[in-house]
Amino acid sequence: MTTRLLIIRHGNTFGPDDEPRRVGCRTDIPLVQSGIDQACALGSYIDRENLIPDYIYASELQRAQETAQIMVRNANVDIDIQTDKTFNEIDHGPDENKTEPEILERLGKKTMEDWNEFGVVPDGWIVDPRALQQSWIDFANETREKREGKLTCVVSSGGVIRFAPIILENGLPDDVAPKVKTASMGLFEHDGNAWRYVFWNKRPE
């Protein structure tokens, strides 16, 4: 009996004329129009690809809640969205709500590359990688124990999602980075023995 875990990053929170900022748990902003469109596309995709969740969990933040709500509405299904603060975004400390050029000036390019590629926490950010990894392990175990044979979906943010692959027996493929784009998906399956990679950082086609 296959148990599946679908992990989705929320849609866009900045428009084409906005300068993107690094927003975390202390910056609760809604989706912009392109993010709404992305959430609609996610709904169409999960309907078309037979990936309708049996259970959905989303962080407390507007961007995750809206993505989940719009997605299920566009998939024409009625699913209760359960709020779980475990999946709230990380705290970027002094870089919270700052632009990338501002952050690069403070931290430097190498520091940001190490975060994006390897999850090395920049100085000042309030992040506990081991705690985040453990929270994914605990959630994956709970999924197997309580939702065996079902499809569980989590809608969260990039800083949290990047630690989810810890549950995979063999990790992500060497050519797949943990960083995920907005409105992208990852799918893992458990065949009764271990969690396996299906896809990661995939946007609806």
Side-chain angles (χ1 to χ4, degrees), residues 1-12:
M1 183 180 296
T2 301
T3 302
R4 295 183 291 174
L5 179 57
L6 179 66
I7 302 169
I8 297 176
R9 184 180 174 186
H10 63 77
N12 289 340

Side-chain angles (χ1 to χ4, degrees), residues 23-26 88-92 96 115 125-127 132 157 159-160 163:
V23 294
C25 62
R26 291 183 285 122
N88 286 358
E89 180 58 302
I90 64 173
D91 189 329
H92 296 104
E96 180 76 16
W115 165 251
W125 290 18
I126 305 171
V127 188
L132 285 170
S157 302
V160 172
F163 293 99

